[in-house]
């Protein structure tokens, strides 16, 4: 039986999903991040399938979302987009440390994934945490600085006055560069990375994510099996059933099975 626990760690609401018979064991661990203006509950189908394969899955709620909402409207949420992204990345360490201190996870068997904004968070987190064994970006992209500049231009075109000065804007961009995977691809270190993206995506353009994938292929010349891009020619901003199942397969192969292979060498 799969159990779903709604709990809070360091004031971060999250869903903890695991097979009941495995709950007291140290397990391979997957962190899964939801998208912008979504909620953690919307991705429970991923957690169910992963828990069935023997993973412990945790799905945190991003700040200003779900249980952490503060009544912000859509425009205010958009202005806080990068605060949401970077704070979520920072909070991953707190969650991982908690489950490790409880001996509930295997520290060298940790995967990270997310949809849309969650995919962007996943890619940014790879610049911060070497403990991420493998990752999956679903409709995400890594160009933090470029995308933030685009957002600022869009706000200006709509006549939106942003609540920070030019100096503060530069400080924000400087901070974002520390999380921008496109500027520090060496931090990938050939770790397994899977992309899934629909060609008709109107929210996170396909071409930019695929461009990044092509740019990092030379970094995986000694381990090409660790890098994959799945294109869905018909999909827009919604992950297909095939994409969901490929994520589960990716973590089985690169988080669970990879460790077993290393132990038998």
């Amino acid at each position: 039986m799969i159990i779903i626990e709604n709990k809070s760690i360091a004031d971060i609401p999250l869903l903890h999903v695991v097979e009941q018979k495995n709950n007291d064991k140290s397990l391979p661990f997957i962190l899964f991040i939801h998208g912008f203006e979504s909620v953690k509950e919307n991705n429970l189908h991923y957690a169910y399938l992963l828990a069935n394969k023997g993973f412990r899955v945790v799905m945190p709620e991003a700040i200003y979302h779900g249980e952490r909402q503060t009544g912000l409207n859509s425009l205010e949420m958009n202005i806080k987009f990068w605060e949401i992204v970077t704070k979520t990345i920072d909070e991953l360490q707190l969650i991982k440390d908690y489950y490790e201190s409880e001996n509930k996870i295997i520290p060298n068997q940790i995967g990270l994934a997310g949809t849309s904004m969650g995919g962007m968070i996943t890619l940014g987190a790879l610049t911060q945490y070497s403990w991420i064994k493998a990752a999956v970006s679903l409709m995400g992209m890594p160009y933090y600085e470029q995308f933030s500049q685009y957002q600022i231009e869009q706000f200006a075109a709509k006549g939106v006055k942003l609540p920070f000065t030019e100096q503060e804007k530069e400080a924000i961009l400087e901070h974002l560069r520390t999380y921008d995977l496109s500027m520090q691809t060496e931090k990938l270190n050939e770790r397994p990375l899977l992309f899934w993206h629909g060609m008709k995506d109107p929210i996170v353009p396909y071409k930019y994510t695929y461009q990044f994938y092509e740019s990092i292929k030379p970094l995986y010349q000694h381990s090409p099996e660790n890098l994959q891009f799945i294109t869905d020619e018909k999909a827009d901003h919604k992950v297909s059933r095939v994409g969901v199942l490929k994520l589960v397969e990716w973590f089985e192969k690169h988080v669970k099975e990879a460790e077993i292979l290393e132990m038998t060498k």
Side-chain angles (χ1 to χ4, degrees), residues 82 85 89 116-117 119-127 137 139-148 176-185 188 193 195 197 204-216 229:
W82 293 107
V85 167
I89 293 173
S116 194
M117 179 186 75
M120 295 175 68
I121 288 167
T122 295
L123 295 169
L126 288 168
T127 69
S137 168
M139 309 177 296
M141 67 93 197
Y143 298 106
Y144 280 29
E145 183 179 16
Q146 289 184 37
F147 190 59
S148 62
L176 287 181
R177 291 182 192 113
T178 66
Y179 298 90
D180 192 322
L181 183 59
S182 71
M183 294 182 168
Q184 41 194 325
T185 54
L188 283 166
L193 178 57
F195 294 91
H197 217 114
V204 182
Y206 168 88
K207 66 178 182 180
Y208 298 120
T209 307
Y210 192 77
Q211 171 186 308
F212 177 73
Y213 162 73
E214 287 288 339
S215 75
I216 62 173
F229 195 109

Side-chain angles (χ1 to χ4, degrees), residues 213-224:
Y213 162 73
E214 287 288 339
S215 75
I216 62 173
K217 281 171 74 173
L219 301 177
Y220 284 81
Q221 58 182 326
H222 299 300
S223 54

